[in-house]
Amino acid sequence: MSVGQPTWVLASDIDNTLTGARAALRALVTELAALRRAGKLFLALSTGRRLGQVLAGVDEEDLPQSDAVISQVGTEIYLPPFKESMAPLPAWERRLRRSFSRQQALTFLQGIDGLQMQPEMYNTPLKVSAFLDQAPRPEAAVKAIRQRIKEAGAAGSYQVIWSSGRDLDIIPAAAGKGNAIRFLLDHLQLEPQMVIVAGDSGNDRSMFEMFEHGIIVANAQPELRALRQNGRSTHYMARRPSAAGVREGLRHFGVLDS
Ligand code: GLC
Ligand code: MG
């Protein structure tokens, strides 16, 4: 980044938002790099992946270099220079630890039929993640888990995120991609003219709820499309999928020339 404020902050999800259309992704990466070099763009990757998988993706999947990485569904924030072994931003971690107990979060999942825990690397002190696609009625299971949290009087401490008909995350109420971006803007004292978010699934929802300029790619999951159908018309619904849709949205918002 050069000195001064960027005109735009783009916070983009990775999987099925940037990935999935390799040629379009390559074109987008070139465009984003030029904007960053000119000091006009601050790029944050905002993802469910862990940091190591983001960094590997830059090498192996043509993902763009970024100015920040928000990983594990907004429970960890990293700033450059990135290294796989680095610790997440302590100020964010401290804030999230205040009212989250992994042990209590696990009690909300007890006895849910068909639930399978995700691999250990996706289960961290601040994120409990499971698969629900083998549950007889996944949506009803999500509802039941939310109800248990409410009944425990813990709705102020935990949030449940449901994505892609498969992934269930319990994270601190103060976490999530939207809250993490807000924190990052404050932390770095960024005051761009516009924050633009981009995503495709349930764990991206909080970004669209918090920021008014969003790009929903054409291949988005129903839980994200619903935002637009609910009358929130400030977001841009791309006609094209993945990176092609992100490029289309960036043209719509005037970041890229049309
Ligand atoms: C990513 C994470 C996974 C999470 C999912 C939805 O795939 O690896 O743990 O459940 O995003 O948020
Ligand atoms: Mg995604």
Side-chain angles (χ1 to χ4, degrees):
M1 290 288 309
S2 60
V3 204
Q5 289 288 344
T7 313
W8 299 286
V9 167
L10 171 63
S12 179
D13 170 49
I14 295 177
D15 292 289
N16 302 312
T17 299
L18 294 178
T19 65
R22 195 80 170 231
L25 176 57
R26 286 206 189 103
L28 174 63
V29 166
T30 306
E31 290 158 341
L32 295 177
L35 288 167
R36 286 179 67 234
R37 268 198 309 275
K40 291 185 180 164
L41 176 75
F42 181 98
L43 176 65
L45 295 174
S46 182
T47 177
R49 290 189 187 195
R50 28 184 320 213
L51 178 67
Q53 296 172 309
V54 177
L55 302 183
V58 175
D59 292 338
E60 294 157 18
E61 299 167 79
D62 287 324
L63 295 181
Q65 304 267 2
S66 70
D67 302 296
V69 172
I70 292 166
S71 68
Q72 297 273 29
V73 194
T75 59
E76 297 175 13
I77 297 176
Y78 296 91
L79 295 172
F82 302 116
K83 245 179 48 193
E84 190 173 343
S85 59
M86 76 200 293
L89 196 69
W92 183 235
E93 206 185 359
R94 268 199 306 276
R95 173 176 302 202
L96 301 187
R97 274 182 193 256
R98 261 183 234 152
S99 62
F100 188 86
S101 146
R102 180 178 173 84
Q103 213 180 347
Q104 186 182 18
L106 284 168
T107 64
F108 303 131
L109 302 182
Q110 262 163 27
I112 298 281
D113 199 16
L115 178 141
Q116 288 171 304
M117 291 305 287
Q118 290 186 15
E120 232 169 81
M121 65 173 167
Y122 299 117
N123 276 283
T124 71
L126 291 169
K127 174 169 165 284
V128 169
S129 293
F131 296 124
L132 270 181
D133 50 338
Q134 302 300 317
R137 291 170 57 222
E139 305 276 347
V142 175
K143 230 173 137 183
I145 294 163
R146 289 198 169 119
Q147 187 58 30
R148 286 178 180 182
I149 293 177
K150 223 166 137 188
E151 278 162 16
S157 300
Y158 301 90
Q159 61 171 305
V160 173
I161 297 179
W162 173 232
S163 309
S164 316
R166 186 189 72 170
D167 301 322
L168 176 99
D169 307 305
I170 304 183
I171 62 173
K177 294 183 178 187
N179 287 325
I181 296 163
R182 170 70 63 222
F183 180 87
L184 190 62
L185 295 175
D186 289 349
H187 185 76
L188 299 176
Q189 296 180 315
L190 293 176
E191 289 170 8
Q193 284 168 26
M194 200 187 274
V195 176
I196 300 166
V197 304
D200 77 295
S201 83
N203 74 11
D204 299 314
R205 242 187 117 103
S206 63
M207 301 197 286
F208 289 86
E209 282 162 351
M210 196 161 297
F211 297 98
E212 83 186 276
H213 301 109
I215 304 167
I216 301 174
V217 291
N219 53 300
Q221 297 287 329
E223 70 264 12
L224 203 62
R225 295 169 164 276
L227 275 181
R228 185 65 204 263
Q229 283 146 14
N230 290 346
R232 293 181 69 96
S233 57
T234 53
H235 299 310
Y236 181 74
M237 179 72 84
R239 276 167 288 127
R240 277 164 276 201
S242 310
V246 175
R247 294 182 77 207
E248 192 188 313
L250 291 176
R251 284 193 288 271
H252 170 81
F253 288 120
V255 180
L256 297 176
D257 294 330
S258 37

